Amino acid sequence: MANIYWYYLIAIIGLGATVFSIYKKQTVKRSTFLVFYLFTTCITWIGEFFVLGLLDAYAYKTGIFSDPWAQNILGHLILNSTFYPGTAILVAANCLGYGWISFITIIYLLIEYLCLKSGIYEHHWWKYYMTGFLIFFFQVFSKKYFTMLNPIKSRLIRNITFYFVGFVLLHYPIPVLLLLGKQYYNVNWAENLYLSSTMFIFAYQLIEVIILIYCVCILKKWYFKLIPFCIAFFGQYILMKLNILVLKDGWNLLYSMILYFSSIVTFIIIEKYSLKMKVQ
């Protein structure tokens, strides 16, 4: 079986856990699950940005690209957008105890072992106990955090949560376009183009999302919501003029802006209808 199919299989398991948990937990709003799913996705993205992107702890072997960092990005997108948030929802929605969390952690370690043996994943300096510790902590944290969202009582927690949600929505199209060969960011932060481009835009959007949250979640007037669109357009336009944003194969700034604006609109809609604070 080709390497990528194993990644798809793991992703299906994660999505299955998500669907099962949402179906079983009818008392929780679907919008809350969506926000929590995106929140936990972002937690894993940021964690792997440091562990994989900056520290080169391990490598994914998807078999789709010849470039090692293109493979890493694809493996990262598949697993961290499906399996990790899926098990987090499974634990949080069903209020699983430490015994079940330990069992899920063992499943993670077993999958990691099988992936290593089959050659679709490799360790550089990473160790099994690191996976075990982080997965156990991630599941416990997810369970505790979910209780703060259902119901939501703190405006600070709400804004923090939407910061992570906003980042996922803004960032997701970028690595996809990079892997499709449509655009990249030419900054030479690393020797590898895929890694360098990802490092730059990841850091850039971590800052950009602060503006998005402030304008949408804190400043409630409708006209403040126009600011993130302006920031997105002028930011990418300036990067293009500085030859940092490089567009290829017939791709142009208009197409990128359609995706960018769609992400912002999606965020505004989710923020409007999710995690509503009860009026005292």
Side-chain angles (χ1 to χ4, degrees), residues 88-120:
I89 282 186
L90 180 66
V91 169
N94 296 284
C95 298
L96 299 183
Y98 290 116
W100 278 108
I101 292 175
S102 298
F103 177 73
I104 291 173
T105 302
I106 292 172
I107 296 297
Y108 266 89
L109 291 171
L110 177 60
I111 291 175
E112 182 171 5
Y113 173 80
L114 294 175
C115 289
L116 284 167
K117 290 300 181 182
S118 62
I120 67 172

Side-chain angles (χ1 to χ4, degrees), residues 11-214:
I12 290 171
I13 294 173
L15 293 174
T18 300
V19 172
F20 169 78
S21 301
I22 294 175
Y23 174 78
K24 184 178 178 182
K25 199 72 172 181
Q26 299 288 336
T27 57
V28 179
K29 292 182 178 179
R30 300 295 182 266
S31 60
T32 301
F33 276 124
L34 174 61
V35 168
F36 182 70
Y37 187 94
L38 295 173
F39 169 80
T40 51
T41 295
C42 189
I43 292 294
T44 63
W45 279 15
I46 293 176
E48 193 154 71
F49 173 74
F50 287 98
V51 175
L52 174 61
L54 299 184
L55 301 177
D56 194 24
Y58 44 79
Y60 296 117
K61 303 292 184 179
T62 61
I64 299 298
F65 299 98
S66 58
D67 187 282
W69 282 103
Q71 293 200 77
N72 282 337
I73 292 171
L74 179 59
H76 154 80
L77 285 176
I78 294 174
L79 298 183
N80 289 282
S81 303
T82 56
F83 190 62
Y84 291 92
T87 57
I89 282 186
L90 180 66
V91 169
N94 296 284
C95 298
L96 299 183
Y98 290 116
W100 278 108
I101 292 175
S102 298
F103 177 73
I104 291 173
T105 302
I106 292 172
I107 296 297
Y108 266 89
L109 291 171
L110 177 60
I111 291 175
E112 182 171 5
Y113 173 80
L114 294 175
C115 289
L116 284 167
K117 290 300 181 182
S118 62
I120 67 172
Y121 172 74
E122 69 178 24
H123 284 166
H124 293 163
W125 55 265
W126 194 253
K127 305 296 181 183
Y128 284 111
Y129 75 85
M130 298 176 182
T131 298
F133 172 79
L134 288 176
I135 293 303
F136 186 87
F137 176 80
F138 173 66
Q139 304 297 335
V140 172
F141 168 79
S142 298
K143 178 183 175 182
K144 299 293 185 183
Y145 200 90
F146 187 74
T147 62
M148 293 190 287
L149 301 183
N150 184 47
I152 186 73
K153 297 178 181 179
S154 168
R155 193 167 299 278
L156 176 61
I157 293 298
R158 186 179 191 274
N159 291 337
I160 290 174
T161 303
F162 276 118
Y163 173 85
F164 289 95
V165 171
F167 180 80
V168 168
L169 293 175
L170 274 192
H171 186 70
Y172 210 108
I174 304 298
V176 174
L177 292 175
L178 175 63
L179 293 176
L180 292 175
K182 298 301 182 182
Q183 69 175 49
Y184 66 92
Y185 294 88
N186 181 33
V187 291
N188 295 318
W189 282 13
E191 292 183 2
N192 184 277
L193 182 146
Y194 289 94
L195 176 59
S196 177
S197 179
T198 300
M199 289 170 63
F200 171 78
I201 193 59
F202 202 96
Y204 178 94
Q205 290 185 318
L206 283 174
I207 298 172
E208 184 180 15
V209 174
I210 296 175
I211 300 173
L212 176 65
I213 296 304
Y214 188 71

